[in-house]
Amino acid sequence: MPYFGSEETVKELKRALSNPNVQADRLRYKNYITKVIRYMTQGLDVSALFMDMVKASAKVDIVQKKLVYLYMCTYASDKPDLALLAINTFRKDCADPNPMVRGLALRNMCNFRMPGMTEYIEQPIVAGLRDKASYVRRVAVLGCAKMHSLQPNTEIDGIIVNELYALLRDPDPVVVVNCLRALEEILKDEGGVVINKPIAHHLLNRMKDLDSWAQSEVLTFLLRYHPRSDDELFDVLSLLHAFLQSAHAHVAVATLRLFLHLASAHPAVQADALLCTSAPLLATCGAASRELRFTGLCHVQQVMRSQPGLFGTHYKCFFCGYSEPTYIKFRKMEILVELVNDENVALVLEELRSYCTDVSPELAQAAIAAIGRIARTYSEKCLDILTGLLALKQDHITSAVIQTFRDLVWFCPQSTAAVCQTVEACVDSPQDSEGKQTLLWLLGEHGEQISSAPYVMEGYIDGLKTELSSAVKMELLTTAVKTFLCRPAETQDMLGRLLHYCIEEESDVCVRDRALLYYRLLQRGVEETRKVVTGPKSDPSMSVLTGRQEEPISQWASTFNTLGLLSGRDLCLQTAVISAADQPSNSTGKELLPDVTLSSPNDTEEEISLSLGPPLSHETFEKMWLDLEILHRQTLGSPRPRTAPDTLQAALQLVKIQTLAFTPGDTVLWKAYIYTRSTGTLILAELLQGDPQAPGSDESLVVSVKQQPVNQHAIRGFASILKSVLQTLNVDSS
Amino acid sequence: MISQIFILSSKGDHLIYKDFRGEASKDSINVFYEMVTALSGDQTPVVMSHKDLHFIHVRQGGLYWVASTKTNPSPFTIIEFLNRLAALTKDYCGSLSEKSVRMNFALIYELLDEMVDFGYIQTTSTDILKNFIQTEAVSSKPFSLFDLSNVGLFGAETQQSKVAPSVAASRPIMSSRGEQSGKNEIFVDVIERLSVVIGSKGVLMKSDIQGEIRIKCFLPTSSEMRIGLNEELSIGKSQQKGYSSAVRVDECRFHQAVKLDEFDTFRILKVCPSQGEQTVMQYQLCDELPCAPPFQLFPSVQKDYVNRVLIFLKLRCDLPPKSTALNVSITVPVPKGSVSMSQELSSPDQTAELQPKNKALLWEIPRFPGGAQLSALFKVDVPGLSSASLLEVGPVSMSFELAKQTCSGLQIRFLRLAPTQTGLSQRWVRYVTHSDSYTIRI
């Protein structure tokens, strides 16, 4: 931040600091130093004072020392040559009889981020590791990590690593945890600190002495340890069981994560652990700190993906408090929708109903959408509420209700009749373009059941000149054509007027083109038009009938208690990219070639499971496709099935592979883009037929797979599933 | 691991900035502030990302407490750490505000230096920290009039005896070396947050208590303290409910330093409090309140003339006659497009105003004695009123504070310090219930 007259200020400070009178008066001197730090925090560049501050560091006053050290650490990288002048003071302090002074000096000296620092700090660090004061040892251990980060590409110093491993047995708990942290950083290229059996059991036994921060960190390190036998596993788990109900939410959750990870082969143990942690998790959902509350809610939501019933009896905890911020209310509503059952549906609906009139239109709309989701199971009760809301005659509510109706009709065809009746009775129409489009879609799709459909439509056609949104106009065109198909007598005239207006007077090219398209289509005959215009009236995937499946815990355990969970899936992908880039151990050369020897016998025994997960937008897919490398390319050995595209899509969906896009059937270079998820990774793939680069495979399909993060086992599983699906389809079609 | 920690005022001023790992640029503060102020209502602010840097922040005392990181750590850890940092700042500086952070920035830097090294949390315990913290806190000495007017917060009537003023506990813990050294005080607070939903016919639909016992200790040396809770306290749902006198909580959790060997038989907690504030016990109670909810509302909403709604509210306080609810405020949503309002209130200290922006009317009652009943009549003018608009009135939400009162009935029987404690020490026990969310449907 640029400050007015900053140069003046710095000059003045410099004058004051070098004034011998000021230097003699301790209080005044300290006051000036405080001032310097204050300006530094505000963003003023006070690096010009470095020399004066170095002098100040030689004083005995420890508070002043701390302030000056803070200053020097901030500016050391800008003034490396001047910083070297301070080193002597530091080295002298490192030999001070007071352990606090020793620790302070060592810590700050290691914080100098400038090249060439290593030679000065190495000796004090090594001495610090053997210091008799635990405070100095803590600092020295992390100093090793700092030293390594100064020269990341140098060879690892084996002596220091051994010393750090030895210090894992230190009596001071913080030293132990710091050793783990330092080793993790130093050995990052080799896969981090090794947790073998003696270390793991040593850590487990020390758990009680650690403070809560260290506990949760050790629990995270223990994720790496795989007990050899079931007996050992249960020993470990029983040692940790008490921590599942720790008063500190972060310890309880970290323990749960470890339980889910270690007991992945014992679903009963996992379920028990989830049950034990449900109380602390619920408590965080009611915590005084909003941020903690939100974090708790996100985790509850994740647990519910596998154990929907776990929080069923506590549904009242997820009623929104009126003073809560909107983002918490949104989460709570999402959870409430999942928790609905026969017993609580009435109460939950009544609660949701009261949010529908909230001041915030977003919240009101979300509440209405939530009722709509519940309506897929309890349609009658919900439709009553939704119809009641229409009586409020508030634009945003009406619009949201109509949109909810659309979704309901799409996912739950049995409610069509009731919805049509309500739409019929609804006198005032939505004002926003989204709502208008929705209403028009409903009229077009179910025009035969809504007797007033042509008249409502006529209103829109008459007001066409004042309509601004081209999307609404296009929807109107489609609706008019669809209604014409089922009720020609009433609509012929207005359709003619509409087409005439759109073709002759409309300035928007898209609308005009759409109108021309329909016009020409109608010229070809009504039956032709019907074939083109009418589509399925409800969701063909029938996801409602099968209901929401309980996902296996392994699906989400890897993201449990990480940041990704809180900020939605975008971050999740991003972090995956970063962590993949951060770990050069995943050497890309190795991964590029599908190497069979890489897989341990464990991997092949495991059944690969794919899942759909949240849908991916075209943009995200495209971006990721361009960003990622092809990890695997394989000829599938069977040609493209000569079935309708719908069949192919449906078949792939059956095995949880989502189709994003494909080229029309008769192109020479046929392509399709598909994606799926499997145990924490996202698999993107391209199917290609007639690739000129791959001669001899004119007939056969070639699949190219990209994945994030890399998991060879999942790719192989994916390829074999894909292969079998295509073969089956080919058999069927021939 | 944490990359940077910074504290910003609500206006975006940099109050504290410490870079632990030097992997992110200093500019990230401004990036963060731009992001957090550009958020719309439904976006989640807790975790935000800019390129590969993630910001996690909490809001306390009107300030942003932010940690940035390049790794993917446990959100619980970071958020609880930031909350702990804010709590420690409050302990050391006396209160939590932009002013106190500005005045004590050297102290906070010192704290941060000991708490976090190279992005790793080292310790947050006051017992350890107090050996290292050398800076004396600067507290804003002259208490403002606003502070003094709050004196009655924890007990309005008896100001002279027995009751500690609410500001007594908001002073820096370290100043005991200074002029206030005579005050060896310890405060034990039982704080409950109440959330209640009452259905349209006065049926209690949800009632929920989140409670905690919090100790604020100003004793220079720690010694064991025994806190006796109600002997008849029962824990868990399964136990017999035949005796109505029993005080019950569903679930409780204790600070790890609490010794529970006498808890099962005598309901005694043994703890060595360290300086500063700490929560020794947290408990919850769902759905079964031992007493009636503190407020009952009898509303009636009518259409009066063409464009006028009559809202008549009768509010009864069901507390025992001796206790009082303070700072009661009632928010009633009104139909969209309400322009003006006239009101008839029963006493001059009450106020009511229409907030067209929030589509609500706000009725405030500074003191509401137990057993009393107050009523108010509001006439709201709504141009273009339809009968459907009446459906927009409700649900009513209330906020209040109940002094000297716990809804669960949890009491502290006694508070004993070990006899080794030298010097006179004062012990205070305070009870307070806050409304977390109190909603009454019409």
Side-chain angles (χ1 to χ4, degrees), chain A residues 13-24:
Chain A
L13 282 172
K14 200 174 175 69
R15 212 172 307 135
L17 283 174
S18 50
N19 184 343
N21 284 335
V22 173
Q23 282 176 4

Side-chain angles (χ1 to χ4, degrees), chain A residues 261-298:
Chain A
H261 177 78
L262 289 182
S264 49
H266 304 273
V269 178
Q270 285 183 325
D272 180 57
L274 283 170
L275 191 68
C276 280
T277 342
S278 66
L281 261 182
L282 266 181
T284 58
C285 294
S289 153
R290 289 168 170 187
E291 292 80 11
L292 200 60
R293 226 183 252 205
F294 176 71
T295 318
L297 288 172
C298 289

Side-chain angles (χ1 to χ4, degrees), chain A residues 1 34-35 37-38 40-43 62-63 66-67 70 100 104 107-108 111 113 135 138-139 142 145-146 149 174 178 181 185 210-213 215-217 245-251 253 279-284 286-289 291-296 299 314 316-323 326-327 330-331 347 350-351 353-354 357-359 362 388 391-396 561-564 566-567 571 574-575 578 582, chain B residues 1 12 14-22 26 30 41-47 49-52 54 56-60 69-77 79-81 83-84 102-103 105-106 109-110 113-114 117-118 120-124 128 131-135 193 197 199-200 205-208 210 251 253-256 282 284 286-287 329 331 336 357-359 388 391-392 394-395 397-399 435-439 441:
Chain A
M1 226 183 282
T34 321
K35 241 182 210 169
I37 307 290
R38 194 184 293 269
M40 186 180 87
T41 308
Q42 287 171 354
I62 202 152
V63 178
K66 285 184 180 179
L67 289 174
L70 177 72
M100 190 155 60
L104 190 67
R107 179 167 63 217
N108 285 290
N111 277 345
R113 283 182 281 270
Y135 182 67
R138 295 174 187 178
V139 171
L142 281 183
K146 292 177 190 173
S149 75
V174 182
N178 279 355
R181 294 155 166 168
E185 292 214 6
L210 307 177
D211 72 347
S212 68
W213 313 109
Q215 280 172 355
S216 60
E217 199 139 349
Q245 290 190 314
S246 164
H248 299 277
H250 61 265
V251 178
V253 174
L281 261 182
L282 266 181
T284 58
S289 153
E291 292 80 11
L292 200 60
R293 226 183 252 205
F294 176 71
T295 318
H299 284 81
H314 301 284
K316 283 180 181 172
C317 297
F318 304 105
F319 283 6
C320 302
Y322 74 99
S323 54
T326 340
Y327 62 89
F330 276 132
R331 288 281 165 171
L347 279 172
E350 197 176 325
E351 180 71 19
R353 161 71 182 80
S354 71
T357 46
D358 198 275
V359 205
E362 292 94 24
L392 289 174
K393 298 201 172 145
Q394 301 244 338
D395 291 342
H396 67 273
N561 197 19
T562 60
L563 285 188
L566 264 74
S567 53
L571 171 73
Q574 208 179 346
T575 359
I578 296 156
D582 268 358
Chain B
M1 64 196 109
H14 306 181
L15 302 180
I16 296 289
Y17 167 80
K18 197 157 165 69
D19 186 351
F20 293 102
R21 299 180 59 90
K26 190 167 179 181
N30 296 329
D42 50 339
Q43 279 169 301
T44 45
V46 181
V47 175
S49 310
H50 175 71
K51 289 183 188 147
D52 56 346
H54 309 308
I56 302 126
H57 85 276
V58 300
R59 294 213 57 177
Q60 294 247 351
T69 176
K70 289 207 167 185
T71 52
N72 196 357
S74 152
F76 278 107
T77 308
I79 289 174
E80 284 200 66
F81 172 73
N83 283 334
R84 178 73 189 142
R102 263 186 208 281
M103 286 200 304
F105 78 99
Y109 273 127
E110 204 178 348
D113 201 33
E114 299 297 339
D117 191 9
F118 206 41
Y120 297 106
I121 303 167
Q122 300 291 299
T123 179
T124 59
I128 302 171
N131 303 322
F132 298 104
I133 304 305
Q134 308 275 329
T135 317
R193 288 179 296 122
V197 177
S200 48
M205 291 183 62
K206 172 201 170 181
S207 56
D208 206 344
Q210 303 271 346
E251 219 125 12
R253 285 172 301 143
F254 303 94
H255 191 275
Q256 58 183 359
Q282 292 167 285
Q284 283 146 270
C286 291
D287 277 344
S329 77
T331 315
K336 194 181 178 185
K357 213 181 123 209
N358 298 331
K359 289 203 302 177
L391 296 173
E392 286 182 64
S397 47
M398 297 182 63
S399 74
S435 63
D436 192 25
S437 166
Y438 198 91
T439 312
R441 301 219 187 100

Side-chain angles (χ1 to χ4, degrees), chain B residues 358-375:
Chain B
N358 298 331
K359 289 203 302 177
L361 71 84
L362 185 69
W363 174 25
E364 285 185 318
I365 307 158
R367 285 172 55 82
F368 202 149
Q373 183 164 305
L374 294 176
S375 54

Side-chain angles (χ1 to χ4, degrees), chain A residues 432-453:
Chain A
D432 59 323
S433 65
E434 181 73 14
K436 282 180 187 170
Q437 286 177 59
T438 314
L439 181 63
L440 285 169
W441 183 87
L442 276 171
L443 293 178
E445 211 55 48
H446 301 284
E448 71 278 15
Q449 292 188 53
I450 306 172
S451 61
S452 66

